[in-house]
Amino acid sequence: MELAYNAQIASLSYSISSTATGFQVAVTGYNHKMRLLIDAIMMQIAQFEVKANRFSVFKETYLKEYENIKFSQPYSQASYYLSLMLYDQSWPSNENLEALSALNADHLSKFIPNLLSRTLLECFVAGNIEAKEAEKIITDIEEILFKTPNSVFKPLFPSQYLPVRVAMLESSLKFLYRMKGMNLKDENSAIVQYIQIHQDDPLLNVQLQLFSLIASQPAFNQLRSVEQLGYITSLSSRSDAGVRGLEVIIQSTVKDPDNLDARIDAFFASFERTIYELDDKEYKRNVKALIDSKLEKFKNLWEESGYEWAEIINGTHKFDRFESEVEVLRELKKEEFIDFFNQYIKVNAPKRKTLSVQVFGNKHLTEYERVCGESDTPQTYRIEDIFRFRKSRPLFGSRRGGPCQIAVQS
């Protein structure tokens, strides 16, 4: 869960939000006013004091948010547990709730010096601003945080840096995680079938995106319109800290998740013919549509900054990603695309790595008991303990690696 605070003052706006390993501050506005606001925010952070009355208000708010997770839609619960199994640095909501329940203002006051004693500072400045001015903003932030009298801020040691890493699944094996829905009164069941493909690579990126573009509407038509499995149905690509994959989501009262999983596999099996019979004209039309979407201009500075900040956070630093991927797309042959499908996505493909997260609503609890009592096939592995599973898996390497410095570009 991300905890956030947003505010707007005149022509300025800012937000402070938590991340997996820290927090981030985002500020937008005119240069001279923005500088004053940044300095004020940094000074407040450097001199932060816990106020018991405000602590109580925020604690109550966040307690309710954690408690209300159990009332979220089943497909959201499945997506949440998928992320929990993939991300090395992630914690379950029930543990967060237990820790927060026992926390008081005095605990936080004593913890803050320890929290800030080793700090990694990452900055990104964009917009109508000169390089020297951007560098001056960062220098001023460093002065406030690290060099003011009695400051507790010290630079983070490289060995202490905690990059976000993602669990690596196994080829030719389907992992299964089944659970009862958190809200026992909800009749809906849900599934997220996730196919892990690769870690950031230009050629595999565009092939995955192209497949998602070609298959998303047919998947919706077949699973939603024809089979009427559930109102919430989607096929899309996803990225987890630079690790790319494909996910199919269905929420249903009609079929239990184990049945939904079989219907998803049946769709991929039937879609083989569509991929193999894709004519050159249709293939080129889809390639052009993907190229056009990549060459679209950003709608605003926030959208552009979000894209560039993601490159920094993921450690990829491919700020010309769209242009370079367009060049790869223009050279991509249909035969290469079909081979990608055969290797990574086709049912029983040699490099197919699948994780199926199944949430059983109260309408399908009988089916839950049935499938839990059945033996697994040789190509499946049942996950009983999320954290034991996560600890047992190798991790993709982090593209970030540790603190670094990127030159400011004008």
Side-chain angles (χ1 to χ4, degrees), residues 8 15 26 59-60 115 188 215 248 272 312 330-331 347 396:
Q8 185 164 357
S15 66
K59 177 180 176 178
E60 184 64 26
L115 172 70
N188 285 286
V248 181
E272 290 178 25
I312 295 172
R330 285 173 173 157
E331 299 296 324
V347 176
F396 283 97

Side-chain angles (χ1 to χ4, degrees), residues 16 23-27 36-48 121 123 137 140-142 144-145 153:
I16 302 174
F23 63 90
Q24 66 181 27
V25 179
V27 180
L36 294 174
L37 180 57
I38 290 173
D39 289 349
I41 293 172
M42 291 301 115
M43 191 62 70
Q44 286 293 320
I45 291 174
Q47 300 174 352
F48 182 74
L121 179 65
C123 299
I137 290 175
D140 289 346
I141 292 173
E142 292 175 333
I144 293 172
L145 295 183
F153 284 83

Side-chain angles (χ1 to χ4, degrees), residues 90-103:
S90 59
W91 297 266
S93 59
N94 62 309
E95 291 184 7
N96 290 334
L97 179 60
E98 183 177 340
L100 182 58
S101 299
L103 191 67

Side-chain angles (χ1 to χ4, degrees), residues 77-107:
Q77 296 175 29
S79 295
Y80 164 74
Y81 275 94
L82 173 61
S83 296
L84 201 60
M85 282 182 271
L86 290 179
Y87 283 90
D88 181 46
Q89 296 292 326
S90 59
W91 297 266
S93 59
N94 62 309
E95 291 184 7
N96 290 334
L97 179 60
E98 183 177 340
L100 182 58
S101 299
L103 191 67
N104 59 42
D106 187 52
H107 292 149

